[in-house]
Amino acid sequence: MATGTPRPTSRDVAQAAGVSQAAVSLVLGDKWRGRVSEATAARVRQAAQDLGYRPNLAARNLRLGRTRTVLLVVPALTTEFFAGVYTGAARVAAAHGFGLVLYPSPEGIGPARDPFASAQAALDGIIASSMAADALTALRGDQLPLVMLDSDPQGSHGATTVNLDITDGIRQITDHLVGLGHRHVLHLAADIPSWTFEIRARELADLLTRHPGTTLRTARTPLAIDAARTAAETALTVPGPRPTAVICDDDLLAAGTYKAARRVGLRIPDDLSVTGIDDLGLATAIDPELTTVRLDAELFGEHGMRALLAVLEGRQADRGDIPVQLVVRASTAPPPRP
């Protein structure tokens, strides 16, 4: 179509196909079955193609009261994990004609400023990480169709929840370390008031009580490498039985533990075994490579978007946590002999 030529309208399509504008709307809206013949539908589609006609989706969505836009609220993008969540969610959204807007909470965790004049007017729904749940208050997200990621199914604003099987991940780590002979464990815990981290601490404590002679020490730290180094160094040098294994809530915390171990003269894994959770690119960049629980971020995002589509369509979302997998690498070994 030449520059300056008026954009073809549905009236033009109707005239070219010899049908009414109502028939054009039915065919191009894929609601023609049982209302117009297949031959008529084919004629309308051919006319639209010949004219280069494209429906005005913005106007259509306004008529339907839908923007086909979803907001993904996550903590600040400090690792590639939430980038993977976005990639998976965006893939499913695009396949269903939705746009996905990524909104990282500016302070990482905590209240977020409403990025829209009125979220309820601009959005069809929200997918939110429990780590950025406070942002929902400012966004009034609990008044929109909502899916919560990594959240307590019993306490998530009544929203549909999509979870990774993080308790099984902790079980896999614990079985691995206990099987190697470790009995003195340090839990380097993310100091974040979030269900996903609370469940890790609770599951680890419960599991270790089943193994006589085990001890558990907990050190809390912000989710950052330098903070983790400081916390781990302190925990590894306090009086009492020294831990022979460190279970970290995140691969970033494991990297900080590596630095702490070097500072206090411990070799990994000869003197100290270290595990993480996530399986970020970092896990194979550090030496020795990190034993960690692989969380499939893209699959997580896909499930989150599919769950929101189910909510929007009035269907029951698929149930069941997403499986996780322990990847054993060189950072774990039997404890040193006394």
Side-chain angles (χ1 to χ4, degrees):
M1 188 168 60
T3 302
T5 302
R7 178 176 176 172
T9 67
S10 61
R11 179 177 297 176
D12 297 328
V13 176
Q15 289 177 346
V19 299
S20 67
Q21 281 185 263
V24 170
S25 295
L26 288 171
V27 173
L28 299 185
D30 200 26
K31 297 179 180 179
W32 60 272
R33 292 170 181 81
R35 301 185 182 185
V36 301
S37 69
E38 287 194 25
T40 298
R43 198 162 68 248
V44 169
R45 285 193 294 266
Q46 187 62 52
Q49 182 178 335
D50 292 345
L51 291 170
Y53 172 74
R54 295 292 181 272
N56 186 335
L57 292 178
R60 177 177 180 271
N61 288 334
L62 283 173
R63 289 196 304 273
L64 296 175
R66 297 279 291 275
T67 64
R68 301 191 77 78
T69 301
V70 172
L71 189 69
L72 174 63
V73 183
V74 300
L77 299 177
T78 53
T79 74
E80 73 261 31
F81 180 79
F82 285 106
V85 172
Y86 171 79
T87 299
R91 182 184 301 126
V92 173
H96 290 81
F98 278 78
L100 185 68
V101 178
L102 177 64
Y103 187 62
S105 180
E107 300 302 323
I109 299 159
R113 182 174 51 83
D114 187 345
F116 300 94
S118 172
Q120 287 175 279
L123 300 171
D124 285 333
I126 292 180
I127 306 169
S129 163
S130 66
M131 291 174 63
D134 287 346
L136 295 175
T137 302
L139 293 168
R140 298 187 297 281
D142 54 354
Q143 299 175 36
L144 285 162
L146 175 64
V147 169
M148 295 294 297
L149 306 178
D150 256 348
S151 297
D152 183 355
Q154 306 304 318
S156 297
H157 302 280
T160 296
T161 56
V162 174
N163 289 319
L164 297 153
D165 196 351
I166 205 68
T167 57
D168 185 56
I170 295 295
R171 282 194 291 271
Q172 291 181 50
I173 291 173
T174 304
D175 288 347
H176 173 63
L177 292 174
V178 170
L180 289 172
H182 292 278
R183 294 297 180 268
H184 302 298
V185 175
L186 168 64
H187 178 204
L188 197 60
D191 192 14
I192 296 171
S194 173
W195 177 83
T196 186
F197 293 116
E198 293 167 1
I199 200 72
R200 298 172 203 208
R202 185 161 66 242
E203 183 68 14
L204 178 58
D206 288 346
L207 289 170
L208 288 179
T209 59
R210 304 174 193 175
H211 297 281
T214 58
T215 64
L216 175 62
R217 183 181 301 172
T218 300
R220 299 192 175 278
T221 173
L223 196 57
I225 292 176
D226 286 343
R229 175 191 57 76
T230 301
E233 187 174 346
T234 299
L236 291 170
T237 54
V238 298
R242 181 178 59 76
T244 61
V246 184
I247 297 176
C248 301
D249 271 350
D250 185 277
D251 292 353
L252 289 177
L253 304 188
T257 302
Y258 274 47
K259 299 179 78 171
R262 283 197 297 272
R263 287 196 174 211
V264 300
L266 298 175
R267 297 167 299 166
I268 300 173
D270 299 334
D271 304 312
L272 186 71
S273 288
V274 180
T275 65
I277 295 176
D278 268 350
D279 199 23
L280 305 175
L282 174 68
T284 53
I286 55 180
D287 188 28
E289 294 187 356
L290 181 66
T291 294
T292 187
V293 174
R294 177 174 295 156
L295 309 181
D296 191 330
E298 290 193 20
L299 185 62
F300 195 24
E302 289 178 3
H303 279 233
M305 187 63 211
R306 288 197 183 100
L308 184 59
L309 289 172
V311 172
L312 291 172
E313 294 167 6
R315 297 185 287 107
Q316 183 72 42
D318 292 340
R319 295 186 177 276
D321 293 344
I322 300 170
V324 302
Q325 177 188 1
L326 179 68
V327 181
V328 178
R329 298 192 181 102
S331 68
T332 49
R337 293 185 178 183

